[in-house]
Amino acid sequence: MTLLVNGTETPARSGWETWGDLVEGFDVDLCTTHQILTSVRLDGVDEPAFRAEDVCARSLASFSRIEVDTGEPSLLARQSLADAAMALSELAQAAKLVADGFRRADVSPAVQGLQLVTQNLLTVFQVIAAASVPLTDDFGALGQQGLSIADLSAELDGHTKELIEAQQSGDWVQLADILEYDLEPLLTHWRDVLMRVATA
C-alpha cells in the first residue's frame, strides 16, 4: 500500500490495520499542529465520508493507494459550505418541482417529494451549523449584515410549520405557494450567501 500525505509518500505506521486506525492516528498527530484531515482519495476515488463507520471498518490492506490532504479546519469548513450551497440549489429546484406536483393535484408523489426535501434540508442545515464554528469571523460579519444561522433556522422553522398546517388541512395550493414563493427563494438566497463565505 502506498500512502501519500499532501503529495509526499509516507510510511504507514505499524499497528494500523483499518482505515479507522489511520484516521485516529492522524487526528492525534495533527492535534498539536491545529490541522485536520481535509480530503481523502482511496485508490484514486474521492471519499468525502471518510469518517463514516463503514469506511473506518475497512482494512488498510484492501487499498493499494491512499492519498490524504491536511489543512486548517477552516479549509474543510469552506469545502463543506460549498457542498451545502450546491445542495441548497438542488433542494430549491426540488421544492419547485414538488410545488408543481401539488398544483397538478398529484398528491401522493408530491408528499413523498416534500418529505425528501424536508429530510435533506435538516441534513444540510446540520452541515452548515457545524461548518460555521471554524468560520466564526465570517459568520459574525454575516450577522452584521442581518444574516445569521439563527435567522436561517428561524425562517426554515416557520416555513416548515406552515407546510405542516397546509398539508394537514389538505390545502395543496397553499402548500405549493409556500414551497415556490417562500422556501425556494430562501434556499436560493442562502445558496448565494454560503457560496460567498465558502470562496472568501
Side-chain angles (χ1 to χ4, degrees), residues 3-56:
L3 172 62
L4 298 176
V5 180
N6 296 326
T8 301
E9 187 168 349
T10 305
R13 191 172 300 172
S14 61
W16 287 354
E17 297 183 357
T18 66
W19 170 251
D21 293 336
L22 184 147
V23 171
E24 184 177 353
F26 269 85
D27 285 345
V28 172
D29 291 344
L30 292 172
C31 183
T32 58
T33 68
H34 304 293
Q35 292 195 337
I36 59 173
L37 289 176
T38 55
S39 65
V40 169
R41 286 170 298 282
L42 303 175
D43 289 332
V45 178
D46 288 333
E47 181 51 81
F50 61 84
R51 292 184 183 273
E53 185 176 346
D54 59 329
V55 179
C56 286

Side-chain angles (χ1 to χ4, degrees), residues 139-159:
F139 278 87
L142 286 179
Q144 294 174 3
Q145 300 169 30
L147 300 168
S148 71
I149 296 298
D151 295 330
L152 175 59
S153 177
E155 289 190 76
L156 286 176
D157 186 56
H159 293 325

Side-chain angles (χ1 to χ4, degrees), residues 89-101:
S89 180
E90 294 172 0
L91 287 172
Q93 295 174 19
K96 177 63 169 63
L97 291 175
V98 172
D100 292 342

